[in-house]
Amino acid sequence: MSSYLITGASRGIGLAFLDNISSNPNNVVIGLVRNVAASEAKVASWNRSNIHFVQGDLENYESLKSAATATAKITGGSLDYLIANAGLVEGGFDSFSILGKDPEKLTASLTRQFNVNVTGNIHLFNLFMPLVLKGTVKKVVTISSGMGDMELVRKYNISEDAPYSISKAAVSMAVAKFSAEYARDGVLFLAMSPGVVGTDVYADLSEEDQQKLGIMSQKFAAYAPDFKGPITPEESVKAVLSVVEASSVANGDGGAFYSHLGKGEKWL
Ligand SMILES: NC(=O)c1ccc[n+]([C@@H]2O[C@H](COP(=O)([O-])OP(=O)(O)OC[C@H]3O[C@@H](n4cnc5c(N)ncnc54)[C@H](OP(=O)(O)O)[C@@H]3O)[C@@H](O)[C@H]2O)c1
C-alpha cells in the first residue's frame, strides 16, 4: 500500500493522476484542491473509498499548512509520493515585444505564475517534507514543462508563453535545489514534463489564438517531426508514472528533469 498526494486533482492531468492511482484499491490517494465539494462531486460516481480531498491553494501558505496536517491525519503521519501537478497555465502566444506593450499586465502575469508555479510549490515541499521523510517510497514529482527547457527555446525560437516558461524553468531549478538537500535522506525529487496534453489549457481558444498556436505547433514539428498532436491526460499520466517508477536516487536521477517519454528523450 502506498500513499499519494496529488495537487490540482480537480481536473486535467491531476484528475487523471487521481483516477489512475486510485484504481488500485491498495493505494490511499489524497487530492489537494481549491474546491473540495466540487471535486468530491466529480468523482462521486467512481465509488472509491480510497480517495480523499484536502483543501489547499498554492497562493495561500496557511491553507497548505492545514492541508499537510489533514493529510497526516489520513495517512497516520507519512506520505510515500507527492505529485506537485497543480499549475497556473496562463496561455499567451505573444512574445515579449508584444507583451511589453502593456507592462503592468506583463508584470502581473510574471508575478502570478511565479507565485503559483514556483513559490507555492516550494512552500508545499517544505510543509510536506516531514511526512515524506516518514514515508517508505520518498518520491516528490513536480509536473514542469518542456517549455521551460532553454535548449528547446533557443534552438527552435519558441518565443511564445514566456512568463509561463520562465516559471517552469524556475520550478525545475527548485526541484534540483531540494534534491541537493534531501537526496542524502533518500528522497527522490524529480521534475517531469507531461508532454502536450489535451486539457482545458487548449480549450476555447479564440480564432486569433488558434492561429498563433498553429505557428507554435510548426516550431514543435521542426523539433519533433513525428509529433502528432496532444496526447490524452490518461496517456500522459501512464507515461509519467512509468518514468517515475524507473527513477531513483540510487540511479542518479535526483533533481533531474525528464520527459514523459523517458530519460534523455524529447519533450514531445
Ligand atoms: N496540458 C499540457 O499540455 C501541459 C504541458 C506541459 C506541462 N503541463 C503542466 O501540467 C500541470 C497540469 O496541467 P493541466 O493541463 O491539467 O492544467 P489545467 O487543466 O489548467 O489544471 C490546472 C490544475 O491546477 C490547479 N491550480 C491552479 N492554480 C492553483 C492554485 N493556486 N492552487 C491550487 N491548485 C491550483 C487547478 O485547480 P482549479 O480547478 O481549482 O482551478 C487545476 O486542478 C500544470 O503544472 C501544467 O503546467 C501541462
Side-chain angles (χ1 to χ4, degrees), residues 42-177:
K42 208 171 247 186
V43 305
S45 64
W46 299 1
N47 285 322
R48 294 183 191 165
S49 59
N50 58 341
I51 294 179
H52 308 260
F53 287 103
V54 295
Q55 202 280 332
D57 185 329
L58 286 168
E59 288 190 280
N60 182 332
Y61 181 85
E62 288 306 318
S63 77
L64 297 178
K65 202 171 164 185
S66 303
T69 306
T71 300
K73 278 192 189 135
I74 295 165
T75 62
S78 64
L79 185 65
D80 293 316
Y81 295 85
L82 170 52
I83 300 182
N85 157 81
L88 182 56
V89 189
E90 271 189 351
F93 300 105
D94 291 324
S95 52
F96 269 141
S97 66
I98 311 261
L99 296 173
K101 290 185 176 147
D102 188 341
E104 278 181 25
K105 194 173 166 197
L106 174 55
T107 301
S109 176
L110 283 160
T111 306
R112 253 193 322 267
Q113 289 181 91
F114 198 89
N115 284 347
V116 175
N117 298 341
V118 187
T119 312
N121 276 325
I122 290 170
H123 291 318
L124 179 85
F125 300 153
N126 276 329
L127 287 164
F128 278 83
M129 204 34 98
L131 283 73
V132 172
L133 287 169
K134 285 187 199 134
T136 49
V137 180
K138 299 187 175 67
K139 291 192 178 184
V140 179
V141 179
T142 304
I143 304 304
S144 186
S145 169
M147 293 291 280
D149 173 33
M150 279 181 272
E151 285 298 290
L152 174 74
V153 168
R154 81 181 181 84
K155 285 189 184 153
Y156 294 88
N157 300 324
I158 316 278
S159 53
E160 294 85 351
D161 267 350
Y164 170 74
S165 304
I166 289 167
S167 75
K168 289 300 189 180
V171 80
S172 297
M173 175 55 83
V175 166
K177 291 286 183 188

